[in-house]
Amino acid sequence: MPSPSGSSTLSKPAPRFASIGSPYFGIMLAIMAVVLILSNIGASKGVVLGPIITDGGFFLFPIAYILGDVMSEVYGFKVARKAIITSFALSVFASLCYWIIIVLPGFTDDYGTSKQAAIEGALGPVPQIVLASLLAFLAGQTINSWILVKMKARAGEKSLWARLMGSSVVGELVDTLIFCSIAASVIGITDAGSFLNYALAGFVYKTAVEFLFVPVTVLVVGWIKKREPSYGVAAA
């Protein structure tokens, strides 16, 4: 209806989301949790690729962020936040299992002691890596999801690529700074130059992977939206 000034007032439509009644959300949540647990194990190993210093989980972690983008876009901020918390609850549980495995008494022969040393070396640093991931991913992914949903509230279904890229830059920056600050010492990074290399390489790599996969992410989002019966019904 006309406003007092004579101009018509147009209300902005609410952003569209889906409920989590279909199997798609459960599948993505399971993949996110597995990727996170595996990346926590891989992150305990320092990796040198020419002039670049990184860790063994570098090729896995961006997948979790891409899945977070898809869930935020399709299901909204509250559902994405539940996925983040659930993934990390499972990651903490995995870390607890590693600790129990390490402290359980093993065989005392040469093979048993060498196996114990190998397990301690591989899984021992993981709890600190989990702490780093918990704080970093919780902060970074929450900010990433929040920005994406806020941008969707303004643009609606348009400019998906812009909110995927914009939210990723901020989320990955926060994530990388927190994670590298806590995890660097675990993988043997002790000097400032190596730390800057580690943090910068991690941020550039993870952001570049997300940007590279934006076309794929857009296709996946569109595919799920078309197959989610409740899309456009649920609120954020």
Side-chain angles (χ1 to χ4, degrees):
M1 60 183 295
S3 64
S5 62
S7 60
S8 58
T9 303
L10 299 177
S11 60
K12 186 180 296 184
R16 300 166 60 194
F17 296 101
S19 65
I20 57 176
S22 76
Y24 300 112
F25 173 77
I27 293 171
M28 287 188 288
L29 174 58
I31 296 174
M32 175 184 278
V34 170
V35 165
L36 191 57
I37 291 171
L38 291 177
S39 65
N40 287 338
I41 297 173
S44 63
K45 175 183 178 179
V47 173
V48 179
L49 300 173
I52 298 174
I53 298 176
T54 183
D55 57 63
F58 77 95
F59 65 98
L60 284 167
F61 202 72
I63 300 174
Y65 260 85
I66 292 171
L67 288 170
D69 285 341
V70 175
M71 286 189 282
S72 299
E73 172 67 22
V74 176
Y75 301 101
F77 177 70
K78 292 181 180 178
V79 173
R81 184 174 57 189
K82 290 180 181 178
I84 297 168
I85 295 173
T86 301
S87 296
F88 271 100
L90 294 172
S91 187
V92 170
F93 174 71
S95 183
L96 176 62
C97 290
Y98 302 149
W99 176 78
I100 294 173
I101 292 170
I102 289 172
V103 300
L104 285 173
F107 297 152
T108 57
D109 59 3
D110 291 342
Y111 178 79
T113 54
S114 64
K115 178 67 71 173
Q116 176 69 18
I119 292 176
E120 290 179 2
L123 301 181
V126 167
Q128 189 171 336
I129 296 293
V130 170
L131 174 63
S133 294
L134 176 61
L135 298 177
F137 191 72
L138 188 62
Q141 183 66 277
T142 300
I143 290 173
N144 177 82
S145 177
W146 184 81
I147 291 175
L148 190 149
V149 172
K150 287 295 183 181
M151 292 178 70
K152 183 174 182 178
R154 293 186 177 183
E157 296 295 308
K158 299 178 181 178
S159 303
L160 173 57
W161 64 270
R163 54 182 175 269
L164 289 173
M165 297 175 73
S167 62
S168 295
V169 170
V170 181
E172 291 290 8
L173 178 61
V174 172
D175 180 285
T176 302
L177 290 176
I178 295 175
F179 179 81
C180 291
S181 297
I182 300 174
S185 61
V186 178
I187 66 173
I189 296 175
T190 55
D191 62 277
S194 297
F195 174 80
L196 290 175
N197 187 321
Y198 180 45
L200 182 61
F203 170 71
V204 171
Y205 166 76
K206 289 185 285 189
T207 304
V209 169
E210 288 207 54
F211 282 9
L212 181 65
F213 277 85
V214 162
V216 178
T217 306
V218 170
L219 290 175
V220 172
V221 167
W223 188 89
I224 295 177
K225 283 180 178 179
K226 291 179 180 178
R227 286 160 179 78
E228 275 288 7
S230 63
Y231 187 74
V233 177

